[in-house]
Amino acid sequence: MDFNKNEALREVLVEANATNSAGASDRFQKVVGVCHLLVSLGVILSMDYFLKRAFVAAAIKFPSALFGMFCIFSVLLILDCFAPPMAIKAMAFFEPATMFIQRWLPLFYVPAMVVLPLAVKDIPAASGAKIVFIIVGGWLASCCVAGYTALTVRNIVKTEMIPAEPMEKPPPFSTFEIASWSVIFLVFFIIAYFFPIALGTTARTSLPFLLAATVLGYMIGSRLPSSVKSLLHPIVCCALSADLAAMAFGYVSRIGLDAVLGDYLTKVPSNPGAGDILMGFLGSVIISFAFSMFKQKRLVKRHAAEIFTSVILSCIFSLYSTAFVGRIVGLEPALTVSILPRCITVALALSIVSLFEGANSSLTAAAVVLTGLIGANFVQALLDKLRLNDPIARGIATASSAHGLGTAALSAKEPEALPFCAIAYALNGIFGSLLCSVPVVRRSLTLIAGQVLM
């Protein structure tokens, strides 16, 4: 009997030791994972920082992050040709950073939407109606141009489709994360109201609670049902959350909404607001596109004719038709220039309008998001009506006309179109940035829009 008891006790101790060892191993792996994320993300952030400084010092008017993206993509292609194991190791090293950016991607270009009330308050209602007309009509036309171009080239080359590389999805936000950020928001809102001196003045006072409100809005928006997301996209939910927090603080502190929003996005490096912190990641977002494109390199190479032809023609059409229609309907030149990159993802659209004098970046962000929301709701029905049934044509038409939001909506229902959406989504922004970086093209667009060149 005693022997059996001792044997049972020994088994319990062995099992307990094994459990403790497993727990210690899991904790160690988590620490290693966090360190891996910080290092890989730090490398991308550092690259973006030093490229910006170098381009400013050299007075180069070209998006420095786009140059960085091309450099990384080129290096990966060279490694893949001469040392494939090195390319695999490089992709594995940067995977935590790219997954982090993918998980938080919309959050980084929301600030321009948050301060939209400041940007549009002086825009007349008639001009607003013209902008909406251009955006809706432009989305429809761009979708047709991209879709039919892709279908025409597809019928000519007749290349058989190959399966795409699987794209890993980031994990959803947990209830614990939402609860934690809710507590952070409430704590810093109270501190900012009762003890503003403790946090400093102006933008620093409202930075923590406005940053928490923005993050919280994005988390809640991403957890909404799909049927609700089609109308209230996480980007919109995120911007509304920050605006409501700013409105509440402006009311209780009696300093007004405009003052709080002015502190949200200061564009002053010495006194950054919550929006400045988030938009500081935009360059890193663009650089990270290189890894997504490299992952689908086989698909790009096999269907290069359909992809590049339709993306290039659609991008040229989108830019010049927007400038032309804006001139025809009598929209103010500065507003027309602001909505030129309406079909390009916000991260790159904001880089593009920074090249044009007098452009309103907040209006650019709003135009891009509105275009995406229209595409997310109606692109599938439109493609069906146009009888564009080929997945390549559907994917390219969606991404070229409604960028990321339209891509997300279509890919959820038609996964076979996702890789073409992703490729066209990136290439459309890249080609648009390259095109607008050419001085002759910028001058022609501004002249067509009716802007007087100085």
Side-chain angles (χ1 to χ4, degrees):
M1 183 67 70
D2 291 338
F3 174 78
N4 291 337
K5 286 182 178 180
N6 290 335
E7 190 66 26
L9 180 61
R10 189 180 296 111
E11 290 179 1
V12 170
L13 291 174
V14 169
E15 186 177 347
N17 288 332
T19 302
N20 290 334
S21 298
S25 177
D26 288 342
R27 287 192 294 270
F28 177 75
Q29 290 297 326
K30 287 179 180 179
V31 171
V32 171
V34 171
C35 292
H36 189 179
L37 168 62
L38 293 176
V39 173
S40 59
L41 187 60
V43 171
I44 294 178
L45 289 170
S46 300
M47 180 183 295
D48 177 45
Y49 174 76
F50 287 112
L51 279 174
K52 280 179 182 175
R53 295 194 64 177
F55 273 55
V56 170
I60 300 174
K61 284 194 172 182
F62 182 82
S64 59
L66 197 61
F67 174 78
M69 187 204 69
F70 278 124
C71 288
I72 290 179
F73 184 65
S74 300
V75 169
L76 288 172
L77 286 178
I78 293 170
L79 289 176
D80 190 55
C81 290
F82 299 102
M86 293 293 292
I88 294 172
K89 288 181 179 179
M91 288 291 290
F93 173 77
F94 285 105
E95 185 177 4
T98 56
M99 288 302 294
F100 174 85
I101 292 173
Q102 185 181 344
R103 192 185 194 208
W104 295 98
L105 182 60
L107 190 66
F108 302 133
Y109 48 72
V110 158
M113 282 288 293
V114 175
V115 298
L116 186 62
L118 296 180
V120 302
K121 66 178 183 179
D122 296 326
I123 296 178
S127 297
K130 292 173 184 177
I131 291 172
V132 172
F133 169 76
I134 294 172
I135 289 173
V136 175
W139 165 75
L140 178 63
S142 296
C143 190
C144 292
V145 169
Y148 282 122
T149 301
L151 189 62
T152 301
V153 176
R154 181 112 172 87
N155 289 333
I156 294 172
V157 298
K158 299 184 183 301
T159 307
E160 292 186 8
M161 288 183 61
I162 59 174
E165 293 294 326
M167 302 292 286
E168 187 178 355
K169 291 186 177 181
F173 295 106
S174 66
T175 304
F176 175 77
E177 289 176 300
I178 295 176
S180 300
W181 279 98
S182 300
V183 172
I184 293 171
F185 166 71
L186 289 173
V187 168
F188 280 104
F189 187 95
I190 293 170
I191 292 176
Y193 177 69
F194 288 104
F195 310 104
I197 304 301
L199 295 176
T201 57
T202 62
R204 291 192 187 93
T205 304
S206 51
L207 188 154
F209 85 83
L210 284 177
L211 182 62
T214 310
V215 173
L216 186 60
Y218 174 60
M219 286 180 166
I220 294 173
S222 66
R223 290 279 298 267
L224 294 174
S226 300
S227 57
V228 179
K229 282 183 185 178
S230 62
L231 296 174
L232 190 64
H233 192 273
I235 293 178
V236 179
C237 188
C238 185
L240 285 176
S241 175
D243 281 330
L244 289 174
M247 190 181 301
F249 188 78
Y251 177 78
V252 299
S253 64
R254 298 184 180 180
I255 64 174
L257 174 63
D258 288 1
V260 180
L261 288 183
D263 290 339
Y264 184 86
L265 191 62
T266 65
K267 298 182 180 179
V268 179
S270 60
N271 186 33
D276 299 283
I277 300 296
L278 293 173
M279 291 192 73
F281 282 89
L282 276 180
S284 303
V285 169
I286 296 170
I287 289 174
S288 71
F289 287 166
F291 301 100
S292 301
M293 289 181 59
F294 178 75
K295 199 165 187 178
Q296 301 294 347
K297 62 185 183 300
R298 283 198 315 139
L299 214 58
V300 174
K301 183 177 179 180
R302 187 172 183 84
H303 299 285
E306 303 100 304
I307 294 169
F308 283 95
T309 304
S310 52
V311 166
I312 290 172
L313 289 179
S314 174
C315 188
I316 294 173
F317 172 81
S318 173
L319 291 168
Y320 279 94
S321 65
T322 301
F324 181 74
V325 175
R327 180 74 173 270
I328 293 296
V329 301
L331 184 64
E332 291 86 339
L335 300 181
T336 301
V337 168
S338 299
I339 63 172
L340 284 177
R342 56 181 172 76
C343 290
I344 296 172
T345 183
V346 174
L348 289 170
L350 294 177
S351 295
I352 290 172
V353 294
S354 67
L355 303 173
F356 292 88
E357 293 183 8
N360 185 330
S361 60
S362 295
L363 179 59
T364 303
V368 172
V369 172
L370 179 58
T371 301
L373 291 174
I374 293 170
N377 283 280
F378 303 110
V379 71
Q380 195 171 31
L382 176 64
L383 293 174
D384 291 339
K385 288 287 185 183
L386 296 175
R387 296 182 180 179
L388 292 171
N389 300 319
D390 186 271
I392 296 180
R394 292 175 76 87
I396 294 174
T398 299
S400 298
S401 63
H403 46 83
L405 301 186
T407 294
L410 184 72
S411 61
K413 300 173 183 176
E414 302 180 23
E416 67 277 7
L418 174 59
F420 303 101
C421 282
I423 294 166
Y425 164 68
L427 291 178
N428 190 47
I430 293 166
F431 183 73
S433 299
L434 290 172
L435 198 62
C436 291
S437 297
V438 180
V440 174
V441 173
R442 285 204 307 276
R443 284 197 292 269
S444 65
L445 287 169
T446 52
L447 285 173
I448 293 173
Q451 195 171 36
V452 179
L453 298 175
M454 301 301 291

